[in-house]
C-alpha cells in the first residue's frame, strides 16, 4: 500500500511539473497571449516582473515572439497628486471607453515602501466594474521605488497588453511627488489630474509636471465644487499658455470632469483623439515613439550596468569599507566613487 501511494504521489508531482513546463513554454504562452487569453497575459506579466533569472529568460523569449504584434494601441499616462481621484477617474473613463467598443488595459502602479518594499496594490479593488468587464485587463504592480512610480518592467507590459489585443492602455502612476519623466517617455498622451478647493491649485502642481502634461483635467467638478473647478480650469489654462510651445506643436488643454457623475468624459476622449490625429498628421507620433525606444535603450543599459556593479563581490566588499570612511569624514564621496569605478573596471 505504501509503495502504491508513493507511486500516486510521484505521478501527481510529475503531472504538476509537466503542467508548469507547458505554462512556462515561451512559444505556447506567446501563442495564447496573441489569441487574447487573459490568463496567458497575466502569466506573462508575472514573468516580466519576476526577479528570477530563469523567469527573465522565459520572459525575454515571450517578448521576442510577440514584439512584431505590439505597438497598435494608444498609450495614455495618467498622474496627479494624492486625492485627485486617479483611480475613480480611470474606472469611469475605462467604462466609457468600453462602451465605445475599446479594449482597455490598465497598468496601475502602486506605492512601494522604501523600507519593506511592500505595496498597497489597492487599485484593482477600487475598479470593480472595470475589473469585471471581459474586455478589460487591470494589473496593479509595485513601483519598487522606481522614479515616477513606474514599475521596472512597465514598458514591456505595455507590449504584452498590445499583443493581446488591447487597443487603449492606461498607465496610472503614484503621483506628482517624484519625477514623471519615465511615464512621459512611454506614453503617447500625458494626462494630469488636478482638483479645486484643495488650496492654491497652481502652487500645488509642480511646474515640471505641468510642462509635460498634454491635457490637465480638473476632476471632481461637481456639486458645491463646480464653480471653484471652473475658476481653477481658467487659471490652469492661462498658466499653460505661459509655457514654451512643445515640440509636437500641440497646445495643452485644461478640461473639467467629474468621475463620480461621469461628466466631461466625452470631451476628454474627443481631445485625446484630436491630439492623436494632430500628431499623426505631422508624423510626430511615430517620431516620438522612436525617440522613446532610444531613451529606454539607454535606461536599460544603465540599469543593467548598475545592477552588475552593485552585485560584483569585490565591489560589495570594498564599498562597505569606503562607506565607513566617507561617513567618518576620512574620504570624500567623489574619491570613494572613483576608487570603486576603477576597481570595477579592473576586474
Amino acid at each position: 500500500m505504501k509503495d502504491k501511494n508513493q507511486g500516486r504521489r510521484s505521478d501527481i508531482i510529475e503531472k504538476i511539473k509537466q503542467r508548469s513546463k507547458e505554462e512556462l513554454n515561451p512559444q505556447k504562452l506567446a501563442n495564447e497571449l496573441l489569441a487574447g487569453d487573459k490568463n496567458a497575459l497575466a502569466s506573462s506579466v508575472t514573468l516580466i516582473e519576476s526577479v528570477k533569472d530563469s523567469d527573465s529568460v522565459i520572459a525575454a523569449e515571450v517578448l521576442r515572439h510577440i514584439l512584431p504584434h505590439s505597438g497598435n494601441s494608444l498609450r495614455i499616462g495618467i498622474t496627479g497628486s494624492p486625492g485627485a481621484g486617479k483611480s475613480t477617474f480611470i474606472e469611469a473613463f475605462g467604462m466609457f471607453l468600453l462602451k465605445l467598443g475599446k479594449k482597455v488595459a490598465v497598468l496601475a502602479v502602486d506605492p512601494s515602501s522604501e523600507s519593506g518594499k511592500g505595496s498597497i496594490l489597492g487599485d484593482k479593488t477600487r475598479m470593480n466594474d472595470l475589473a469585471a468587464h471581459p474586455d478589460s485587463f487591470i494589473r496593479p504592480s509595485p513601483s519598487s521605488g522606481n522614479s515616477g512610480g513606474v514599475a521596472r518592467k512597465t514598458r514591456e507590459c505595455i507590449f504584452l497588453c498590445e499583443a493581446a489585443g488591447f487597443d487603449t492602455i492606461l498607465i496610472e502612476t503614484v503621483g506628482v511627488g517624484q519625477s514623471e519623466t519615465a511615464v512621459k517617455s512611454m506614453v503617447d498622451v500625458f494626462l494630469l489630474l488636478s482638483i479645486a478647493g484643495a488650496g492654491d491649485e497652481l502652487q500645488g502642481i509642480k511646474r515640471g509636471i505641468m510642462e509635460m502634461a498634454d491635457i490637465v483635467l480638473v476632476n471632481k467638478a461637481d456639486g458645491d465644487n463646480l464653480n471653484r473647478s471652473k475658476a481653477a480650469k481658467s487659471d490652469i489654462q492661462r498658466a499653460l499658455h505661459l509655457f514654451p510651445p512643445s515640440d509636437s506643436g500641440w497646445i495643452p488643454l485644461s478640461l473639467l470632469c467629474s468621475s463620480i457623475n461621469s461628466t466631461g468624459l466625452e470631451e476628454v476622449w474627443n481631445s485625446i483623439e484630436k491630439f492623436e490625429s494632430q500628431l499623426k498628421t505631422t508624423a510626430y507620433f511615430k517620431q516620438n515613439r522612436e525617440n522613446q525606444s532610444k531613451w529606454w535603450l539607454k535606461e536599460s543599459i544603465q540599469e543593467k550596468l548598475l545592477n552588475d556593479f552593485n552585485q560584483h563581490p569585490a565591489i560589495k566588499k570594498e564599498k562597505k569599507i569606503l562607506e565607513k570612511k566617507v561617513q567618518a569624514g576620512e574620504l570624500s564621496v567623489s574619491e570613494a566613487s572613483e576608487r570603486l569605478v576603477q576597481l570595477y573596471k579592473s576586474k
Side-chain angles (χ1 to χ4, degrees):
M1 180 65 70
K2 185 176 180 181
D3 291 340
K4 190 175 182 180
N5 288 336
Q6 285 179 339
R8 286 176 179 173
R9 281 197 296 270
S10 297
D11 290 341
I12 292 172
I13 292 172
E14 190 58 37
K15 286 180 181 178
I16 292 173
K17 286 181 178 179
Q18 184 60 36
R19 188 170 67 235
S20 297
K21 286 180 181 178
E22 290 175 357
E23 290 173 350
L24 295 179
N25 181 293
Q27 183 66 69
K28 182 175 183 294
L29 202 54
N31 290 341
E32 291 175 350
L33 191 150
L34 291 170
D37 189 323
K38 289 203 288 188
N39 289 328
L41 175 57
S43 297
S44 299
V45 171
T46 298
L47 287 169
I48 289 290
E49 294 177 344
S50 175
V51 296
K52 294 181 180 179
D53 291 338
S54 57
D55 287 346
S56 296
V57 172
I58 298 171
E61 278 296 298
V62 173
L63 279 171
R64 186 174 66 82
H65 288 302
I66 63 91
L67 200 57
H69 305 277
S70 65
N72 301 315
S73 79
L74 182 63
R75 305 165 184 173
I76 303 172
I78 300 172
T79 190
S81 58
K86 295 188 294 294
S87 296
T88 308
F89 169 76
I90 290 173
E91 165 87 328
F93 191 52
M95 294 303 296
F96 171 81
L97 293 174
L98 289 169
K99 290 177 183 177
L100 294 180
K102 302 292 183 181
K103 292 192 68 177
V104 181
V106 179
L107 301 177
V109 185
D110 276 312
S112 290
S113 163
E114 283 301 310
S115 55
K117 303 302 179 186
S119 180
I120 298 172
L121 299 181
D123 280 291
K124 196 165 185 177
T125 62
R126 295 194 294 268
M127 304 178 190
N128 294 324
D129 292 339
L130 188 59
H133 199 284
D135 287 333
S136 75
F137 176 79
I138 299 178
R139 182 65 178 223
S141 303
S143 66
S144 304
N146 283 30
S147 175
V150 181
R152 180 172 56 92
K153 297 295 186 180
T154 301
R155 192 166 188 268
E156 285 84 353
C157 292
I158 291 174
F159 296 151
L160 295 175
C161 291
E162 290 174 338
F166 292 92
D167 52 35
T168 310
I169 316 292
L170 307 179
I171 303 173
E172 178 194 0
T173 68
V174 171
V176 297
Q178 295 174 298
S179 170
E180 299 295 305
T181 303
V183 189
K184 180 72 173 177
S185 66
M186 68 172 73
V187 299
D188 303 311
V189 57
F190 192 58
L191 307 187
L192 170 62
L193 262 64
S194 176
I195 52 172
D200 190 331
E201 285 75 33
L202 292 181
Q203 289 295 326
I205 303 174
K206 292 184 178 180
R207 171 168 175 155
I209 303 295
M210 286 277 283
E211 288 181 314
M212 285 192 290
D214 300 304
I215 300 172
V216 179
L217 306 179
V218 181
N219 194 23
K220 303 185 181 181
D222 46 50
D224 295 337
N225 206 38
L226 181 57
N227 288 333
R228 286 192 295 268
S229 298
K230 289 180 179 179
K233 172 185 176 294
S234 297
D235 289 342
I236 291 171
Q237 191 65 59
R238 283 193 292 271
L240 289 171
H241 279 291
L242 296 175
F243 296 146
S246 65
D247 294 336
S248 66
W250 171 259
I251 300 174
L253 299 175
S254 177
L255 304 173
L256 292 175
C257 69
S258 169
S259 303
I260 297 296
N261 295 333
S262 296
T263 56
L265 300 179
E266 185 174 1
E267 186 179 6
V268 172
W269 179 243
N270 288 340
S271 298
I272 291 174
E273 285 192 310
K274 183 180 178 182
F275 174 89
E276 181 186 15
S277 176
Q278 179 176 318
L279 266 61
K280 285 186 174 179
T281 300
T282 61
Y284 184 86
F285 191 93
K286 181 174 181 290
Q287 179 188 341
N288 184 51
R289 284 203 174 180
E290 289 173 351
N291 290 338
Q292 288 178 348
S293 295
K294 182 179 177 181
W295 191 89
W296 277 100
L297 174 61
K298 183 187 75 173
E299 288 293 303
S300 180
I301 292 170
Q302 290 177 343
E303 180 186 358
K304 291 182 183 301
L305 283 174
L306 185 59
N307 287 340
D308 187 63
F309 178 88
N310 288 328
Q311 296 303 316
H312 198 289
I315 295 296
K316 282 184 177 181
K317 182 179 179 181
E318 186 66 14
K319 189 178 179 182
K320 290 181 180 179
I321 298 171
L322 295 182
E323 280 177 347
K324 291 179 180 179
K325 290 185 178 182
V326 169
Q327 290 171 336
E330 299 173 4
L331 192 66
S332 69
V333 171
S334 58
E335 187 178 353
S337 61
E338 181 61 28
R339 287 189 188 182
L340 287 172
V341 170
Q342 290 303 322
L343 176 62
Y344 179 72
K345 289 168 69 175
S346 66
K347 297 296 181 180

